[in-house]
Amino acid sequence: MQIAQNSVVAFHYTLTNDEGEVLDSSEGREPLTYLHGAGNIIPGLEKELEGRDVGEKLVVKVSPEEGYGEVQEQLMQEVPRDAFQGVESVEPGMQFQAQTQGGPLMVTVKKVEGDTVVVDGNHPLAGQKLNFDVEIANVREASEEEVEHGHVHGEDGAEH
Ligand code: ZN
């Protein structure tokens, strides 16, 4: 069955950057499952999976604009150390959920300078060219309920 609008797709992937460094992989885990055409995965990848079939292997190159976006300078912010109450030690690389005008946002601590902490609200993969090695493990039709909700149900999806 070919991947089309409202297919539930399971695929294995290995994600590398242009230096060949592995950033993420489903190896040794269950394949990633998503509802096709619902914007569950990044646009550059979803587009290339259209029309593919079970067992197909492909390499997909995704630019930042079709991936996690460009790095936005305005998402880098200095916040007072006092904003991290209850956190004993604030270290670079730590992630926190910040409340912003646009809703909750995951931020990563970039550096700590005295009483000031520089946080970055960009996605960790923003600004990067991504290379996905993909193998399609399964394709099935979505249930009406899944289409309505815009995501996959069952053991590899939302349970509710
Ligand atoms: Zn649901």
Side-chain angles (χ1 to χ4, degrees):
M1 183 182 164
Q2 284 183 334
I3 297 172
Q5 182 75 33
N6 298 334
S7 296
V8 171
V9 183
F11 67 96
H12 278 291
Y13 67 94
T14 296
L15 169 61
T16 53
N17 60 18
D18 272 358
E19 285 75 54
E21 202 183 330
V22 175
L23 303 174
D24 192 13
S25 175
S26 65
E27 212 179 290
R29 291 192 269 141
E30 291 296 309
L32 181 72
T33 303
Y34 78 99
L35 176 63
H36 191 81
N40 290 172
I41 60 171
I42 55 172
L45 189 54
E46 185 165 55
K47 193 176 73 182
E48 291 299 320
L49 286 167
E50 178 91 26
R52 304 289 183 159
D53 217 328
V54 179
E56 268 194 74
K57 289 182 186 180
L58 57 153
V59 177
V60 181
K61 291 185 179 300
V62 178
S63 63
E65 57 191 12
E66 288 193 305
Y68 293 96
E70 301 288 353
V71 173
Q72 295 177 267
E73 287 299 326
Q74 70 269 30
L75 291 178
M76 298 273 272
Q77 286 197 332
E78 292 188 351
V79 294
R81 172 67 181 83
D82 294 350
F84 298 86
Q85 278 177 14
V87 185
E88 209 166 290
S89 167
V90 178
E91 309 277 353
M94 288 173 90
Q95 292 195 310
F96 295 92
Q97 182 136 306
Q99 300 304 325
T100 70
Q101 287 170 336
L105 179 71
M106 273 307 271
V107 299
T108 307
V109 174
K110 282 289 162 191
K111 52 184 171 181
V112 182
E113 294 166 323
D115 287 338
T116 303
V117 179
V118 180
V119 296
D120 184 0
N122 287 288
H123 189 280
L125 296 175
Q128 298 212 44
K129 285 189 203 158
L130 307 171
N131 305 290
F132 288 91
D133 269 289
V134 173
E135 182 171 2
I136 298 160
N138 192 47
V139 183
R140 68 167 169 87
E141 216 162 312
S143 69
E144 268 178 47
E145 199 186 37
E146 285 171 322
V147 173
E148 211 171 284
H149 287 202
H151 58 223
V152 177
H153 289 167
E155 42 183 305
D156 26 64
E159 298 200 35
H160 59 179

